[in-house]
Amino acid sequence: MTVLKAVIPAAGLGTRFLPATKAQPKEMMPIVDKPAIQYVVEETVGAGIKDILIVTGRGKRSLADHFDRSFELEYYLKQSGKLEQLQEILKISEIANFYFARQPEPLGLGHAISVSEKFVENSSFAVLLADDLMATNSKVLSEMVKLHNDTNKVVLALKEVKKAEVPLYGCVDFENTENKNLVRVKQVVEKPSVEDAPSNLAIMGRYIFNSDIFGYLKKVVPGKSGEIQLTDAISYYLNDHEVLGYIFTSERYDIGNKIEYLRTNIEFALQREDLRDEFLKVLAEAAEKYLH
Ligand code: G1P
């Protein structure tokens, strides 16, 4: 079944970025001049998916506003001849069909996904975590969709991480296939200790599921933190079905962490022709000033 729907959970409280996230969703924090979630939406659309459900929570209205029309602003930009900016903001609301659902309480990633059951119906669907940004023009999601279309199997995005970083992720035990980018997932463990980790292949925030996952999500009992983990549902799913892992080596940015958030801004700015030269000078001057 081809993948035409995507779910982007965006209901987290963003406590790591307080006070910036006190009155603003963390998904709206800019990377250069675009809110983070817009990159994720553009990636989704780039993989041929046009129906996007954003799962929000309290205080997240600006997410819906961002992907909606803004008649007042459009009128102003038109009147003042700022046609390039007008095109830019019109594009945002036209890029995809947006749907919103609210997760009443932040009970974890698994719970946020279960909120999407009615939207998904019997389709296959992609899940994209907005804390994980892929390199511009990344083909990871498109490749995963292709893989799912060919095999009809659940697909997880995997990337090798340093052994010491394994406790930050869901990790997999796997079997190799004849294709070096493709593994059969045998087991998934959420945030294992370095000693207990089955490998250093970590689950990155891109998944392709079918609607069977909802039945497994219902079986998950909340973990220590009271959260319903998506990884636990995948673990139950694995008892009955085969799951594939798509290993990618291209860059991925974890904007849920301050240093990485800053690095992402620097790299994304340096990849922009309109900013690169001037910004490089600023960075060189800053390095001179602060590095001793
Ligand atoms: C979530 C998932 C984890 C995955 C990670 C990728 O964790 O639970 O399995 O490896 O995203 O970024 P979080 O970073 O939300 O704690």
Side-chain angles (χ1 to χ4, degrees):
M1 198 185 275
T2 189
V3 185
L4 298 170
K5 295 183 183 181
V7 176
I8 304 179
L13 294 176
T15 48
R16 275 190 277 184
F17 279 90
L18 282 169
T21 50
K22 183 170 176 238
Q24 166 192 234
K26 65 171 175 175
E27 298 78 9
M28 287 300 290
M29 302 249 302
I31 305 294
V32 187
D33 53 7
K34 248 193 243 179
I37 195 165
Q38 194 178 325
Y39 292 93
V40 179
V41 163
E42 286 169 356
E43 179 192 342
T44 310
V45 173
I49 303 172
K50 281 274 193 177
D51 286 327
I52 301 177
L53 175 79
I54 302 181
V55 181
T56 67
R58 249 181 294 285
K60 301 268 184 165
R61 209 171 304 149
S62 60
L63 281 167
D65 286 344
H66 183 72
F67 292 106
D68 198 357
R69 295 284 299 270
S70 173
F71 293 105
E72 209 175 304
L73 181 60
E74 288 166 26
Y75 178 79
Y76 164 76
L77 292 173
K78 204 167 168 190
Q79 291 300 309
S80 46
K82 299 187 166 150
L83 299 184
E84 215 172 289
Q85 279 121 315
L86 176 64
Q87 284 317 315
E88 187 75 37
I89 69 148
L90 279 173
K91 226 170 47 194
I92 302 172
S93 55
E94 287 163 2
I95 187 174
N97 307 314
F98 294 100
Y99 304 85
F100 294 88
R102 256 168 100 133
Q103 186 188 17
E105 280 178 86
L107 294 178
L109 178 58
H111 182 255
I113 304 303
S114 58
V115 168
S116 70
E117 187 169 2
K118 285 228 162 61
F119 164 79
V120 165
E121 295 178 308
N122 288 320
S123 329
S124 296
F125 65 108
V127 169
L128 296 95
L129 307 190
D131 272 352
D132 289 316
L133 290 196
M134 295 292 177
T136 326
N137 299 325
S138 153
K139 289 280 163 275
V140 173
L141 190 64
S142 309
E143 291 297 330
M144 291 171 73
V145 166
K146 219 184 283 164
L147 203 56
H148 175 81
N149 290 350
D150 292 346
T151 61
N152 222 10
K153 299 206 165 106
V154 163
V155 186
L156 314 180
L158 302 175
K159 187 168 167 67
E160 218 173 279
V161 296
K162 294 191 192 97
K163 200 81 193 162
E165 289 173 5
V166 148
L168 299 172
Y169 298 100
C171 283
V172 303
D173 190 11
F174 63 92
E175 258 170 24
N176 286 316
T177 67
E178 47 302 329
N179 178 341
K180 71 173 172 28
N181 297 118
L182 195 63
V183 292
R184 263 185 291 277
V185 176
K186 291 281 130 199
Q187 206 200 336
V188 288
V189 192
E190 183 66 9
K191 307 203 170 78
S193 64
V194 171
E195 304 77 51
D196 295 340
S199 76
N200 61 339
L201 267 189
I203 305 174
M204 295 302 167
R206 302 292 181 270
Y207 311 75
I208 309 283
F209 292 116
N210 55 53
S211 56
D212 288 344
I213 198 67
F214 296 112
Y216 294 92
L217 276 166
K218 288 184 186 116
K219 293 187 188 174
V220 177
V221 272
K224 271 181 256 146
S225 52
E227 294 194 356
I228 295 176
Q229 295 293 353
L230 178 59
T231 306
D232 291 345
I234 301 171
S235 187
Y236 290 139
Y237 183 90
L238 270 168
N239 292 332
D240 303 327
H241 307 275
E242 204 168 282
V243 169
L244 298 176
Y246 175 75
I247 303 173
F248 69 97
T249 50
S250 54
E251 187 77 77
R252 162 258 177 193
Y253 302 86
D254 172 15
I255 56 164
N257 137 347
K258 276 178 211 168
I259 292 291
E260 275 280 302
Y261 173 77
L262 295 169
R263 178 176 82 93
T264 309
N265 269 289
I266 290 174
E267 290 216 3
F268 277 47
L270 290 176
Q271 289 160 20
R272 288 253 306 249
E273 249 169 57
D274 58 331
L275 301 173
R276 189 193 140 90
D277 293 347
E278 212 178 322
F279 190 47
L280 262 179
K281 268 190 227 146
V282 170
L283 290 177
E285 279 161 21
E288 180 119 331
K289 190 162 155 195
Y290 291 98
L291 281 179
H292 300 292

